[in-house]
Amino acid sequence: MRGHKVEQLGIATVGFFWCFLMWFSTATFSPSIAATYHLTIKDLGLLASSAIWMTPAGRIFAGWASDRFGAPRTFAAILAGCGLVSIASAFTTSYELLFAERVLVAIAGVSFVVGVQHVAQWFDAHEIGTAEGLYAGTGNVGAGVGALFLPRMFGTDYRSAFLWLGMIALVIAACYLWRGSSAKTMERRDAVRRGGDLRGMVFVWTRYIAIALMLAYAMSFGLEIALNAWLPGYFARGFHNEILALGFNGVAGIQIAAGTFAAVASFNASLFRPFAGFMSDLFQRRGWTPLPFIAKELSYAPRLHWLAIALILIMLSMIGLTVAGLYGFLPWSIAVLVVLGIFVSFGTGGTFALVPLLFPDRPGIAAGFIGGISTVGGIAYPLIFASSANAHVGYLYVSLYMFAPFIMFYFWAARYERNPQEHGLLGRALAGLSSAPKPS
Amino acid sequence: MNPIDIRVAPHEPWYKYGVAVLLFEIAVAIAVSGYSLYVTFNGLGGFPGEH
């Protein structure tokens, strides 16, 4: 196969970065769109939430497609399709049509699982954590970079922004097709292509360890996107008086303060992600397996332990967020949020350091399932936060009633000392697979 | 995945550049966190220069 793995990592990272820019560009320009079409708050909420409508189902399909047709073709198709619709949206004058077009552009968010599959096809087991972390962490920064620079470059002219974003996406799509290569070796590519059928999908979806990793990703990335949406409102409501006391005045001042505090979790969750992958590699290299119950003999057992530590830390810091909020001491809350963002990155980086190792013949399908279904957390957690009588205790409820059972299930599913992926809701034969399991 | 023993597998040349990138990203994250904490402790309204 042509190419070098660092070049493939670079192509995937640039593609994902640009997809993330397009994914959240609608939100960045929502005030300008609202002013142009005289939108209400309700309309704005609908526009903001539409960004993740297509993600769960889209990632499942994209993961399967990357196994079946190869990551370069799948990624280029996503970039080109979303780019063309983005260009079309720059010339649209009807709000209904613009809304539909931006929902289609948001499909760019499904590209994450395609890049995960692409990187997994090129990097070996001893460096997969750092490679996947660099890909996902650097790509995720596209959301923050877009929010920071797009309004400064284009002002309120969202049409020009959508036009340029779309045109550059077409260029990146062409580069991806030109330089991208599906896998390091033909054997690896063919093995994955053979595994990318419906039976392979049923097999992955019914594995206990795949479900445990999906819940782990819901605890980390699902929580990350939930906090992105929830935290500005939480700080504005839960610390209103404290923010006023800091010298922030009026609605605009409180929005600036709340947005600045909320950005802490988002930045840390994205930017510490490569470090999380590096730590997973380090655990693996040193052979650290400190926790009880979880397997210690598997070739990737230390990575399972690193992820379990991350999940426990996420749960504890969520409880800490409730405690800090109930005390009403804003600096404590921000400090807890700093560590929560870091721990979330440990969870996201730790999960995708494991996925390609557990399902080497179906990395795309597994990434699609784990990365897709888990985004439902982004919708579910804010609903629980909002339904709590006190703004601060929602984190405690989510920790105790969701995260604690998720962690216990993870410990249970990761206890097998041989082939954890062989244990599931359906037997191997019922899942349509008859070949003997590979030793792990 | 190649079934190599990770405990003895040497790092490839790209790895040190990868670690350099991740350290840079950590530095950016620490700067953003430090700024937010600075604001909460010092009570400055708005971004620097806008107060």
Side-chain angles (χ1 to χ4, degrees):
Chain A
M1 303 293 284
R2 67 180 178 187
H4 184 274
K5 61 183 175 183
V6 176
E7 181 188 17
Q8 302 302 315
L9 175 62
I11 294 169
T13 305
V14 170
F16 182 45
F17 179 91
W18 205 259
C19 280
F20 239 74
L21 262 181
M22 289 201 291
W23 191 12
F24 288 106
S25 59
T26 312
T28 302
F29 288 103
S30 58
S32 310
I33 296 171
T36 305
Y37 293 101
H38 309 292
L39 302 184
T40 63
I41 293 291
K42 196 176 168 187
D43 295 331
L44 266 176
L46 198 63
L47 187 65
S49 74
S50 68
I52 54 173
W53 288 359
M54 307 297 280
T55 310
R59 283 188 169 181
I60 292 164
F61 179 77
W64 166 81
S66 58
D67 278 353
R68 198 72 176 164
F69 307 112
R73 288 180 189 168
T74 310
F75 216 129
I78 293 168
L79 277 162
C82 294
L84 286 172
V85 179
S86 183
I87 291 169
S89 71
F91 298 98
T92 301
T93 52
S94 146
Y95 176 67
E96 286 72 21
L97 183 57
L98 179 71
F99 182 88
E101 286 169 337
R102 298 315 296 177
V103 169
L104 290 177
V105 171
I107 289 175
V110 311
S111 63
F112 165 68
V113 297
V114 184
V116 165
Q117 196 266 10
H118 192 185
V119 174
Q121 292 295 86
W122 277 89
F123 285 82
D124 292 321
H126 65 293
E127 53 194 11
I128 193 75
T130 304
E132 293 284 9
L134 284 169
Y135 157 74
T138 312
N140 276 350
V141 177
V145 168
L148 210 58
F149 291 108
L150 288 178
R152 286 168 171 79
M153 291 171 68
F154 294 98
T156 57
D157 186 10
Y158 66 88
R159 294 177 194 280
S160 295
F162 293 166
L163 182 65
W164 277 102
L165 286 169
M167 288 197 302
I168 294 172
L170 293 181
V171 173
I172 298 172
C175 292
Y176 215 124
L177 269 184
W178 175 41
R179 297 299 306 172
S181 189
S182 300
K184 191 174 182 179
T185 62
M186 293 288 283
E187 292 74 26
R188 194 181 280 190
R189 190 195 68 180
D190 292 341
V192 167
R193 185 176 291 172
R194 279 194 301 274
D197 57 8
L198 186 62
R199 289 179 302 174
M201 189 175 281
V202 172
F203 175 73
V204 170
W205 281 51
T206 54
R207 301 302 95 190
Y208 295 135
I209 192 67
I211 296 168
L213 289 178
M214 185 271 289
L215 295 175
Y217 207 58
M219 271 186 71
S220 47
F221 184 71
L223 180 63
E224 181 183 338
I225 55 175
L227 291 178
N228 285 346
W230 169 254
L231 283 177
Y234 165 70
F235 280 112
R237 195 162 60 115
F239 290 97
H240 186 264
N241 294 333
E242 288 80 358
I243 291 174
L244 287 178
L246 290 172
F248 294 91
N249 297 313
V251 175
I254 289 174
Q255 273 186 15
I256 287 173
T260 305
F261 302 150
V264 167
S266 174
F267 265 84
N268 282 340
S270 297
L271 291 170
F272 270 91
R273 189 165 174 162
F275 175 71
F278 171 80
M279 283 299 293
S280 181
D281 286 351
L282 188 67
F283 261 63
Q284 185 68 42
R285 184 169 283 272
R286 300 287 167 84
W288 290 333
T289 53
L291 298 176
F293 307 116
I294 296 178
K296 293 178 187 290
E297 303 299 325
L298 288 167
S299 60
Y300 44 78
R303 296 186 191 276
L304 289 169
H305 285 253
W306 166 243
L307 179 56
I309 290 169
L311 299 182
I312 292 167
L313 291 173
I314 290 170
M315 192 182 81
L316 293 177
S317 51
M318 283 280 280
I319 295 169
L321 206 54
T322 292
V323 173
L326 290 175
Y327 273 100
F329 190 44
L330 183 59
W332 274 20
S333 255
I334 307 301
V336 174
L337 208 55
V338 168
V339 294
L340 175 60
I342 294 170
F343 296 156
V344 163
S345 81
F346 290 177
T348 53
T351 303
F352 275 94
L354 271 163
V355 172
L357 302 177
L358 277 158
F359 298 99
D361 293 341
R362 299 174 187 85
I365 288 176
F369 171 62
I370 292 161
I373 306 290
S374 56
T375 53
V376 174
I379 303 164
Y381 302 142
L383 292 176
I384 298 170
F385 296 155
S387 64
S388 307
N390 183 308
H392 306 295
V393 296
Y395 310 115
L396 182 68
Y397 290 155
V398 168
S399 294
L400 295 182
Y401 300 126
M402 297 183 80
F403 288 2
F406 289 179
I407 291 171
M408 284 192 281
F409 183 77
Y410 177 86
F411 270 73
W412 179 80
R415 75 191 188 284
Y416 300 104
E417 293 289 0
R418 287 182 62 80
N419 300 309
Q421 63 273 46
E422 293 305 315
H423 301 274
L425 295 169
L426 297 176
R428 205 179 164 80
L430 283 173
L433 299 170
S434 56
S435 60
K438 294 176 181 176
S440 39
Chain B
M1 297 292 144
N2 291 345
I4 56 175
D5 186 353
I6 188 171
R7 297 183 198 193
V8 296
H11 285 310
E12 294 180 37
W14 78 272
Y15 204 79
K16 63 173 183 271
Y17 297 108
V19 172
V21 171
L22 77 84
L23 289 176
F24 171 74
E25 294 189 5
I26 286 174
V28 174
I30 290 171
V32 172
S33 302
Y35 173 66
S36 281
L37 283 169
Y38 175 79
V39 168
T40 61
F41 280 108
N42 290 277
L44 290 177
F47 290 101
E50 291 184 3
H51 184 51

